[in-house]
Amino acid sequence: MESLTSRTQAVQSPIIPVVGELIKNSPGTISLGQGVVSYNPPPEAIEFLAKFLAEATNNLYKSVEGIPPLLTALAEKLQDFNGIEINQENCIVVTAGSNMGFMNAILAITNPGDEIILNTPYYFNHEMAIAMAGCHPVLVATDENYQLRPDAIAQAITPKTRAVVTISPNNPTGVVYSEAALRQVNQICGNHNIYHISDEAYEYFTYNGIKHISPGSFGNNSEYTISLYSLSKAYGFASWRIGYMVIPKHLLVAVKKVQDTILICPPVISQYAALGALQAKEEYLQSHIGAIAQVRQLVLDSLNRLQGLCSIIPGDGAFYFFLKVHTQMDAFELVKRLIQEHKVAVIPGTTFGIDDGCYLRVAYGALQKETAKAGIERLVQGLETIVRS
């Protein structure tokens, strides 16, 4: 049958499976590619599965926006950690991961041909969702330290703009945006009657005393701020697929239409596990993120040996570094050679919308100290060998 043209032809292919195939063909490769953590969900998450199994009606469809006990627990978390009060102006919708939350938001607020502002480097699934919706990403470069440029964002707004997207802590750079810049962007969105979509999947992953800031906590902005969250990272929940979004109440009907069509309701067994995870003691997050902080320092110390060969901005969040490699080589070609010749995998910067140079995203969240040490040594030696040859 002749291939049919569809909207997906304009969408980039997900890079993680592509790199995964290269890794599979090069056994023994250490992956610094996918953004996951190495640890498991807290025991409380597993214990709550018994509550799910004890009630036969849990095998039926449940509320589109999430089960009431989880919504209550999330409201408490948002108040305590994010400074966001759930009131008459906003509401929570539980999703199958925060990627789904982003797609829900885009489909709820746009028409085909509308524009969404992304700061580059962007998160590739955001760009893909915008393209799938028949909308256009408008790219605004961050500064030399990967921080927001509010004036440039304001200048990029047109009558077709429907939202500005920020990600802090950031994927792929690891930087944490300043409170002042986030406030400026949020106010710009309010002034222009557009939405501020704030992706906060890495909210717990901050280092060196840096505090996470949620734009949803900035005063009376409930009617234009959309906040996205995930349990995938902090709670080791990647495959359980539970995220949530805080949206203006006026978007609830539209978001429920999207979610009911695609999903009907988030997996109820996963919602029970999420409810259990939220009961975990604070030490659970502190100990695991503390261990990642140690790996981060180890990785940074090794990468600093590449001064002159690479430019490194040591972001204070998430679990990524975004390297600029001083070479004319194509980023994906460099990634392939690192896997095939040095058995270490990273992600090319072109995936994140950066094609004016050779950039690599290095992910360190999934590695224990010894594996991280071996992996980063392979990366350093590989870059020295390939780039200097």
Side-chain angles (χ1 to χ4, degrees):
M1 180 178 176
E2 186 178 336
S3 177
L4 297 175
T5 300
S6 84
R7 68 181 65 209
T8 60
Q9 288 187 315
V11 179
Q12 66 165 303
S13 294
I15 191 65
I16 298 298
V18 174
V19 172
E21 192 65 25
L22 291 170
I23 292 171
K24 190 168 73 174
N25 294 330
S26 187
T29 295
I30 295 176
S31 178
L32 302 170
Q34 194 162 23
V36 293
V37 297
S38 64
Y39 55 87
N40 293 321
E44 291 89 342
I46 309 306
E47 290 165 8
F48 264 62
L49 298 183
K51 295 180 181 291
F52 167 84
L53 295 169
E55 177 54 65
T57 61
N58 282 333
N59 296 304
L60 303 175
Y61 296 129
K62 295 294 182 180
S63 171
V64 174
E65 62 261 50
I67 59 174
L70 181 55
L71 294 172
T72 299
L74 290 172
E76 292 174 2
K77 175 266 176 186
L78 287 160
Q79 179 77 68
D80 294 344
F81 185 80
N82 304 95
I84 297 174
E85 179 187 359
I86 301 302
N87 51 40
Q88 298 303 310
E89 308 296 324
N90 60 11
C91 56
I92 303 167
V93 176
V94 180
T95 59
S98 61
N99 271 5
M100 182 170 190
F102 186 82
M103 194 68 180
N104 284 352
I106 295 300
L107 291 174
I109 68 174
T110 66
N111 290 308
D114 285 343
E115 297 172 351
I116 304 291
I117 293 176
L118 298 181
N119 296 281
T120 58
Y122 54 62
Y123 171 46
F124 53 84
N125 281 141
H126 286 174
E127 188 269 346
M128 292 165 67
I130 292 164
M132 275 185 200
C135 296
H136 304 295
V138 173
L139 308 184
V140 175
T142 49
D143 70 16
E144 64 276 8
N145 294 314
Y146 302 128
Q147 287 288 336
L148 296 171
R149 296 164 57 233
D151 290 346
I153 291 170
Q155 289 172 10
I157 294 172
T158 75
K160 290 188 174 183
T161 305
R162 293 294 171 262
V164 177
V165 180
T166 59
I167 311 169
S168 184
N170 188 259
N171 176 11
T173 66
V175 304
V176 179
Y177 294 150
S178 71
E179 179 175 352
L182 286 170
R183 283 186 179 276
Q184 273 187 272
V185 171
N186 194 258
Q187 189 59 57
I188 288 166
C189 291
N191 293 344
H192 285 83
N193 197 31
I194 61 177
Y195 294 95
H196 181 182
I197 302 177
S198 174
D199 186 328
E200 303 174 41
Y202 299 89
E203 58 184 328
Y204 291 107
F205 296 88
T206 58
Y207 316 103
N208 300 320
I210 300 294
K211 299 294 184 186
H212 173 66
I213 302 296
S214 293
S217 67
F218 297 159
N220 299 317
N221 62 359
S222 292
E223 68 178 55
Y224 61 87
T225 305
I226 298 171
S227 305
L228 306 178
Y229 301 95
S230 173
L231 271 71
S232 294
K233 314 301 180 183
Y235 288 97
F237 249 60
S239 73
W240 292 86
R241 307 314 303 136
I242 290 291
Y244 54 102
M245 56 196 307
V246 179
I247 59 173
K249 186 64 73 69
H250 66 256
L251 288 180
L252 180 59
V253 170
V255 166
K256 286 173 71 172
K257 286 179 183 179
V258 176
Q259 182 140 301
D260 185 72
T261 301
I262 297 172
L263 189 67
I264 298 183
C265 66
V268 178
I269 190 168
S270 294
Q271 291 190 68
Y272 269 82
L275 185 57
L278 293 172
Q279 317 301 313
K281 294 183 173 59
E282 200 172 320
E283 289 76 19
Y284 169 81
L285 292 176
Q286 288 177 342
S287 63
H288 286 302
I289 294 172
I292 289 177
Q294 293 179 14
V295 171
R296 174 187 178 275
Q297 192 58 52
L298 184 154
V299 171
L300 185 57
D301 290 345
S302 294
L303 290 176
N304 280 333
R305 289 161 40 199
L306 294 171
Q307 295 292 347
L309 195 66
C310 297
S311 297
I312 304 158
I313 303 297
D316 289 316
F319 35 72
Y320 307 109
F321 291 123
F322 201 60
L323 307 186
K324 180 178 182 181
V325 185
H326 304 312
T327 177
Q328 298 301 311
M329 188 179 301
D330 174 76
F332 187 64
E333 185 60 33
L334 179 54
V335 167
K336 285 198 292 186
R337 289 190 60 183
L338 285 167
I339 293 171
Q340 293 164 355
E341 299 171 19
H342 297 274
K343 294 193 181 299
V344 62
V346 289
I347 303 295
T350 46
T351 300
F352 306 97
I354 303 294
D355 52 14
D356 61 342
C358 184
Y359 290 78
L360 304 174
R361 189 190 76 173
V362 179
Y364 54 85
L367 303 179
Q368 303 293 340
K369 250 185 173 179
E370 288 311 307
T371 312
K373 189 171 184 180
I376 206 67
E377 283 300 314
R378 292 183 190 183
L379 179 61
V380 168
Q381 291 175 14
L383 289 173
E384 288 177 334
T385 301
I386 295 170
V387 177
R388 289 198 169 126
S389 62

